[in-house]
Amino acid sequence: MIQISDLNFSWPGQSKPTLIIDELNIEKGEKLFLHGPSGSGKSTLLSLLAGIQTAQKGSISILNENLAKLNDAKRDKFRADHIGTIFQNFNLLPYLSPLENVMLGCNFSRRRQANLKTQGICARKKACILLEELGLDTSCQNRAVSELSIGQQQRVAAARAFIGQPELIIADEPTSALDADNRDIFINQLFEQAEHYQATIIFVSHDKSLSSLFDRQVSLNGINGASL
Amino acid sequence: MKLMTLAFKSISNRRASVLLTLFTIAISVMLLLSIERVRQEAKQSFSSTISGTDLIVGARTGDIQLLLSSVFRIGHANNGLSWQSYQYIKQQKGVAWSIPISLGDSHRGFSVLGSDGSYFKYYRYGNKQNLAFSQGRPFHNAREVVLGSEVAKQLHYHLGQKIIVAHGMGNTSFHHHDDNPLIVTGILAPTGTPVDKTVHVPLKAIELMHGPKHGSAQIMRKKSNSDAQHDHEHEHEHEHEHEHDKHHEVIDSQLGDLIGQPKQITAFLMGFDSPLYTLQVRRNINIYKPEALSAIMPGVTLRELWGMLDIIEKILLLFSAVVVLISLLGMLTTLLSSLSQRRRELAILRSVGARPRHIFTLMVSEAVLITTIGCAIGVAMFYMAILIGKGILQAHFGISISISMLSNYELVLLSVIMVSGTLMGAIPAVRAYFYSLNDGMSIKV
């Protein structure tokens, strides 16, 4: 699924590299817990995986596609097609309804739209189903985003990440604003969806207590040669 | 979801600031369109008021003043010219036709013009069109009257109706001649010129209005008024007293005579067989010994008039253009200031796969939407403004504004605004583009 080898990345204007990873492989369907204190290069790794940044050395392949070999537009397309993202909080566009926010997930990707088509379902219907599976009933779906609780907002963001079946879900501290109960419910729902769609999850957090829920945990400090 | 839909939802989410921006753009568009429409219609209606007339002759005065008083019924001709001079000049070589006109009286706020049959034959306006009758025929004797279309419409006059024409300018006439009713024999077709608002009577009828019987009544009334010294009525009548003294004509003239024996007329219009005669006769008139006269070529004087107004026109246009520019700058400010708050939004869009060019398009679309809606509201307000202003302009300035479709020129103005709005929108769009390139998906607030 994901192969990282001999990765070396430094932000422009910085002499010291931020991230050096010799090797990291992630299997398809794996639920990986990536933890590390702030400043350990988590965000950098995520933007490399999402193809926002490219490494100066080494390679990142996702689905056998070497991101470094793609140009900017193709990387954008690749991200739109294959990666769903959930942020820490404030994930949603305030001027769209929760339903529209979910539909936005496949708005910029032909492939994700096509995936829905082969299932014989339209984006709106699929968004409804996803939201309901994540515990948001119809009354929530068309409300203003600002009226939703943070837990509900994060579920909308999760639905948006999953719509159109991207192979990889990147979650960047999605539970840091949630209380313990909500956090566990959210993570379980995330896993249900991921298993259902056979998606790979990379879950980033500084909260080590979550790590037991995952198939595998990786400490960024442990694998990042730059932090040594 | 199309980017346009996204843009629309995004700006409707920022309703308060966007509405203000829309409003300023709409007002500026309305202002620009209104000023341009009034300017053009004014020019159009001014230049089409008279055509085919080579010379207008009146007592010596400013060229523009003579034009305004004789053709536009604006202001007064202080002096008349003698009937003898008219008779002499119209027999000059090369004169094809001539129309004597006598102004200065009014009927319920509409000016009364005395002339003879040549008026309906030779007077031309617009694209050298003759006057046409929508009903009836020209007057045939001193008891008949022909109405302009607007007069008939506003006063609800019809053919065969007897009306009483008094003298003096203004809405209120002080002397009603119940003994001098005139019969409406014709109503002219609309021309869009001051002719529509004119009551046409034979010269003889003017003379009769100021006849001796009336004169004596004046004197009697004057006596009764002598206690109240120098009130308006008094002054007004006093002015006319002199005229009446001059016009001691007898009423019993034969039927069919349109002219009578006038001593004075206000002005006369002339057409010539060849432009050469025009210049020659004009020169002769300007050095005419018995009386100080002015002869003007209406086309030249119209141009002179517009030449004087040209700088004002340009300043008006400049002002309204600046107002439009300011409103667009206002939009730019709004978009730019909201941009920094929207970096999160841009990052979210990037995370769902929007490319930097999508971000750019989105931002430009917002500007295009705001400008388009602003222009649309502006156009609606413009039509409302001309609907409201139409009557006022017509009544006070004689400018008739047509409620017509937008002209090509106005469409060009609108497109210039749209293009400028789009270009303005490109500025925040470029910034957003670079934000989204640099920030990527990392959310920076």
Side-chain angles (χ1 to χ4, degrees), chain A residues 92-107 116 121-134 136-146 148 152-153 155-161 163, chain B residues 1 6 9 352:
Chain A
L92 308 179
L93 294 187
Y95 49 83
L96 299 181
S97 72
L99 201 59
E100 288 166 329
N101 263 292
V102 176
M103 287 155 65
L104 193 67
C106 54
N107 201 53
L116 291 179
I121 198 163
C122 71
R124 179 171 289 273
K125 182 86 184 123
K126 183 68 194 178
C128 268
I129 293 171
L130 277 167
L131 283 174
E132 251 164 66
E133 284 171 355
L134 287 164
L136 286 166
D137 56 16
T138 337
S139 68
C140 293
Q141 294 177 2
N142 290 307
R143 257 196 250 162
V145 161
S146 55
L148 300 182
Q152 287 170 323
Q153 290 187 22
R155 276 171 236 168
V156 175
R160 186 179 62 203
I163 196 167
Chain B
M1 209 170 338
L6 266 186
K9 292 196 181 223
V352 296

Side-chain angles (χ1 to χ4, degrees), chain B residues 96-390:
Chain B
W97 52 264
S98 67
I99 306 170
I101 56 174
S102 180
L103 291 159
D105 293 327
S106 85
H107 173 71
R108 294 180 65 180
F110 293 101
S111 49
V112 173
L113 179 143
S115 187
D116 60 15
S118 61
Y119 184 83
F120 302 107
K121 217 163 151 189
Y122 300 116
Y123 188 87
R124 283 182 288 177
Y125 69 97
N127 196 14
K128 299 205 171 172
Q129 291 154 275
N130 279 92
L131 294 173
F133 280 83
S134 66
Q135 295 175 55
R137 54 163 177 83
F139 43 66
H140 284 165
N141 65 51
R143 294 251 171 258
E144 296 180 346
V145 58
V146 170
L147 305 175
S149 64
E150 198 64 25
V151 181
K153 200 170 125 193
Q154 284 192 19
L155 301 180
H156 306 289
Y157 285 167
H158 51 82
L159 284 187
Q161 190 165 349
K162 288 185 178 173
I163 63 168
I164 290 140
V165 177
H167 79 96
M169 285 298 258
N171 267 313
T172 39
S173 307
F174 303 109
H175 334 289
H176 290 285
H177 310 245
D178 296 323
D179 48 342
N180 274 347
L182 300 176
I183 299 168
V184 178
T185 63
I187 294 167
L188 294 170
T191 61
T193 72
V195 170
D196 293 350
K197 301 205 291 177
T198 303
V199 175
H200 304 86
V201 298
L203 279 172
K204 170 117 183 153
I206 302 249
E207 195 184 316
L208 291 176
M209 273 162 30
H210 303 176
K213 191 174 178 191
H214 177 63
S216 59
Q218 284 298 297
I219 291 159
M220 281 173 68
R221 281 186 67 179
K222 194 195 169 232
K223 275 178 186 162
S224 70
N225 270 344
S226 58
D227 294 338
Q229 284 194 349
H230 292 295
D231 63 319
H232 279 298
E233 198 172 344
H234 180 96
E235 284 176 12
H236 199 85
E237 284 169 1
H238 192 73
E239 271 176 30
H240 284 280
E241 207 188 338
H242 297 292
E243 275 182 47
H244 298 309
D245 289 342
K246 289 185 228 160
H247 292 268
H248 283 293
E249 307 288 341
V250 191
I251 300 175
D252 61 345
S253 61
Q254 66 275 39
L255 282 171
D257 179 17
L258 296 175
I259 296 168
Q261 283 102 41
K263 285 206 164 138
Q264 274 203 321
I265 54 175
T266 310
F268 58 94
L269 316 179
M270 287 199 291
F272 289 88
D273 297 327
S274 138
L276 284 177
Y277 293 121
T278 310
L279 294 171
Q280 195 184 334
V281 171
R282 185 183 184 205
R283 202 163 44 240
N284 290 341
I285 290 171
N286 285 335
I287 56 166
Y288 181 67
K289 279 276 154 52
E291 204 171 355
L293 298 178
S294 296
I296 57 164
M297 303 203 270
V300 174
T301 309
L302 274 172
R303 269 201 296 281
E304 237 171 72
L305 192 59
W306 276 111
M308 281 168 55
L309 298 178
D310 191 46
I311 185 77
I312 299 171
E313 276 183 74
K314 287 198 172 123
I315 288 172
L316 273 177
L317 179 62
L318 181 74
F319 275 17
S320 40
V322 167
V323 170
V324 171
L325 185 72
I326 289 172
S327 71
L328 291 178
L329 283 174
M331 176 181 74
L332 179 63
T333 314
T334 315
L335 289 178
L336 274 179
S337 64
S338 68
L339 194 59
S340 52
Q341 301 154 22
R342 296 176 66 201
R343 288 173 83 164
R344 171 182 297 279
E345 187 183 324
L346 301 181
I348 294 169
L349 283 168
R350 285 282 276 155
S351 79
V352 296
R355 279 144 234 180
R357 67 176 168 87
H358 287 137
I359 305 285
F360 180 84
T361 316
L362 182 73
M363 298 303 288
V364 172
S365 309
E366 286 184 12
V368 169
L369 269 175
I370 292 175
T371 324
T372 312
I373 299 172
C375 283
I377 298 174
V379 169
M381 284 166 72
F382 157 67
Y383 276 109
M384 257 155 55
I386 55 174
L387 265 174
I388 295 165
K390 194 173 155 39

Side-chain angles (χ1 to χ4, degrees), chain A residues 9 11-12 43-44 47-48 51-54 72 75-76 79, chain B residues 339 343-344 346-347 350 354-357 359 429-445:
Chain A
F9 176 83
W11 287 101
S43 302
T44 310
S47 55
L48 285 167
I52 299 280
Q53 304 292 341
T54 44
D72 289 350
R75 275 203 311 277
D76 281 328
R79 174 173 66 253
Chain B
L339 194 59
R343 288 173 83 164
R344 171 182 297 279
L346 301 181
R350 285 282 276 155
R355 279 144 234 180
R357 67 176 168 87
I359 305 285
V430 166
R431 283 191 72 169
Y433 180 88
F434 285 111
Y435 277 165
S436 69
L437 272 185
N438 295 332
D439 295 1
M441 293 181 346
S442 57
I443 285 172
K444 288 180 183 160
V445 182

